[in-house]
Amino acid sequence: RRRIFAEIRKLKRGFLDINNKVKDRLRQWTFEAGTKVLDEMPAASRGTSELILSLAEYTRKHSQYELSQELYREAVSCRREQLGDEHPDTLAAISGLGYLLEYQGKNAEAEPFLVEALEGRRRALGNEKPDTLQSMNDLGNLYLGDQKFEKAEALYKEALAGRSAIYDSNSYDVLQSNNNLGRLYTKMGRY
């Protein structure tokens, strides 16, 4: 143990470097194992599995946008076919694809997906459910980026009101909504 610790301390950042290497390897192993399981699934259940969305999100977070988009598009297609356009799981895949496209700055491509996710969630879940409120937030972010300030403000205010009704005022979601309104007003010069 003493010799191992002595060697670790020779590294530039010591234990931090070792911990990061272990975490990176565990992430890689988890992704590889998940991909293997997904590849072994029957086609009928692959696109409706939670695993496909988890891998799509993982690849987005690791800047593998093409693979992430393939996974999201497969999930959207399969879920539309098997579950219908307004099933909450279909809407989750549609929302994820829209968010990915917006994240890449492809707002014109993202907008129809984010609008569909929000409108579908409003009909299927109602206006005060967390997923619907998140869709308001996501579409508001897209409008903010496109400088469609009035549309962004309406969605941000609606999301804030809905979140304030179901969450504590110090919850992450309420704070996120307040922050988004603050960002909007700063861009508009409404200090």
Side-chain angles (χ1 to χ4, degrees):
R1 179 176 177 207
R2 194 173 47 239
R3 287 191 310 233
I4 291 171
F5 283 14
E7 290 301 313
I8 291 172
R9 287 186 187 99
K10 290 180 184 178
L11 298 172
K12 183 177 181 179
R13 296 181 305 168
F15 284 95
L16 182 61
D17 282 344
I18 292 296
N19 285 340
N20 287 335
K21 287 180 185 199
V22 169
K23 284 191 294 186
D24 289 345
R25 183 59 191 120
L26 283 172
R27 282 189 197 106
Q28 181 182 357
W29 173 81
T30 303
F31 174 74
E32 290 169 359
T35 301
K36 182 179 180 203
V37 169
L38 186 67
D39 289 343
E40 293 171 353
M41 281 185 179
S45 57
R46 176 183 158 103
T48 58
S49 72
E50 282 300 310
L51 180 58
I52 197 166
L53 291 187
S54 295
L55 291 171
E57 182 63 10
Y58 176 90
T59 52
R60 182 194 65 79
K61 287 180 178 178
H62 288 86
S63 304
Q64 297 173 309
Y65 302 130
E66 287 182 31
L67 179 55
S68 182
Q69 194 172 138
E70 287 175 26
L71 292 167
Y72 274 123
R73 287 190 186 279
E74 179 182 350
V76 168
S77 176
C78 289
R79 289 169 186 219
R80 282 188 195 280
E81 184 180 309
Q82 294 180 32
L83 305 174
D85 289 340
E86 295 205 359
H87 189 281
D89 291 348
T90 304
L91 295 169
I94 292 168
S95 178
L97 178 58
Y99 181 78
L100 168 68
L101 293 167
E102 190 251 338
Y103 187 83
Q104 295 177 82
K106 299 177 180 179
N107 289 9
E109 284 182 68
E111 186 173 4
F113 291 107
L114 293 175
V115 167
E116 181 181 1
L118 175 56
E119 290 174 355
R121 284 176 165 168
R122 284 186 193 276
R123 285 188 298 272
L125 306 173
N127 286 328
E128 301 231 348
K129 294 293 185 184
D131 286 344
T132 307
L133 297 168
Q134 186 60 48
S135 282
M136 291 174 195
N137 182 71
D138 292 344
L139 185 56
N141 287 341
L142 180 129
Y143 289 149
L144 177 63
D146 283 349
Q147 297 186 351
K148 297 176 182 176
F149 298 139
E150 288 180 16
K151 288 182 173 185
E153 183 177 25
L155 287 170
Y156 285 157
K157 283 183 172 181
E158 187 178 2
L160 177 59
R163 287 172 164 177
S164 294
I166 61 174
Y167 296 119
D168 179 86
S169 62
N170 290 322
S171 74
Y172 174 81
D173 290 327
V174 172
L175 295 172
Q176 180 188 53
S177 288
N178 278 312
N179 181 68
N180 288 341
L181 275 169
R183 289 184 316 128
L184 170 69
Y185 293 149
T186 298
K187 281 198 170 196
M188 296 173 74
R190 291 171 55 187
Y191 302 110

